[in-house]
Amino acid sequence: MREILGRRRRLLSKRSDGRPELIGAALTYATEWQWPVLPGVAADPEGRSRCGCPDPECTVPGAHPFDPGLLAATTDGRMVRWWWSKRPTAPIVLATGGKAPCAVSLPALPAARALEALDRSGLRLGPVVASPSRWAILVKPYSMEQLGELLYAKDFVPGSLRFHGEGGYLALPPSETGQGEIRWERAPLPGSASPWVPDVEAVVDAVVEALTRTGVSAPEF
């Protein structure tokens, strides 16, 4: 019980200004759940909707790796402490794939309606990460070949679905990005190991069916 409470305290700890402690969450992800993470590039302080990276047209401001690059993602607690001691407000970026979870994401409104349909169908979901514009359902790691075969077998796949697999990334709570706050729509349950996540096949099948059956519009963005 002490271990579970300690993890919850890390994830929910607050700074003096009342905002969540990013370093505590980053350490939980890296050292306890063995999810490789790294600090993301900050949003532009002169305009939160813009990114601090050199790309003026960046589509994920403050929510992607830049320096260090994605290959630097680690589960080493010493490195994580050093990064966030130097950059305490940096977003937490998960390097998806490998032994870490992957994700399937879609626009926020269709995602909310799809999750309601999935709950009614009885599908068990794991954690769901939400930004103001998109929600991401965490799934077990998959290969590009596996994903390709899955999508090829479908008559229709909404173009708004995005797949965060090997070589991809995803901003994790409680990050603040140029798109707004990253939060848990479905928070991981406390436990002694990395949170359970479903297979990608089950999630893609259910999401496509839910969007098709409910007639939910999923715009291409």
Side-chain angles (χ1 to χ4, degrees):
M1 178 63 72
R2 183 176 302 170
E3 180 183 4
I4 294 174
L5 291 176
R7 179 177 296 104
R8 287 180 64 83
R9 209 172 280 127
R10 274 190 183 182
L11 285 170
L12 300 174
S13 58
K14 303 286 185 177
R15 303 189 320 213
S16 59
D17 62 3
R19 295 175 63 185
E21 283 277 10
L22 287 159
I23 189 170
L27 284 168
T28 294
Y29 300 142
T31 64
E32 298 185 19
W33 296 354
Q34 293 296 293
W35 292 3
V37 298
L38 75 163
V41 62
D44 188 336
E46 297 183 1
R48 293 291 301 175
S49 63
R50 298 196 303 270
C51 191
C53 75
D55 182 2
E57 305 298 327
C58 181
T59 58
V60 284
H64 67 90
F66 175 63
D67 183 17
L70 186 62
L71 292 179
T74 184
T75 58
D76 186 334
R78 293 170 299 177
M79 193 72 233
V80 170
R81 284 187 182 278
W82 186 84
W83 274 333
W84 271 273
S85 68
K86 301 294 183 182
R87 300 166 57 185
T89 62
I92 303 169
V93 174
L94 168 70
T96 54
K99 295 183 178 180
C102 295
V104 178
S105 71
L106 63 161
L109 180 57
R113 295 178 179 172
L115 256 61
E116 292 176 359
L118 300 189
D119 286 342
R120 290 193 297 270
S121 73
L123 177 69
R124 181 187 177 191
L125 291 176
V128 178
V129 177
S131 74
S133 60
R134 295 188 71 85
W135 291 9
I137 303 171
L138 299 188
V139 297
K140 291 178 182 177
Y142 57 78
S143 67
M144 293 305 295
E145 292 79 9
Q146 181 183 3
L147 179 63
E149 291 177 1
L150 173 63
L151 298 182
Y152 182 77
K154 296 288 180 192
D155 293 329
F156 168 74
V157 176
S160 59
L161 287 183
R162 293 180 188 166
F163 300 92
H164 309 256
E166 184 76 32
Y169 58 86
L170 187 70
L172 293 176
S175 302
E176 286 282 344
T177 73
Q179 298 173 319
E181 177 189 7
I182 307 297
R183 61 178 179 82
W184 292 114
E185 173 62 27
R186 301 281 177 90
L189 296 176
S192 59
S194 181
W196 179 88
V197 292
D199 291 328
V200 66
E201 291 91 347
V203 169
V204 171
D205 287 348
V207 167
V208 170
E209 180 182 353
L211 293 177
T212 303
R213 185 176 65 250
T214 58
V216 172
S217 173
E220 308 270 336
F221 68 87

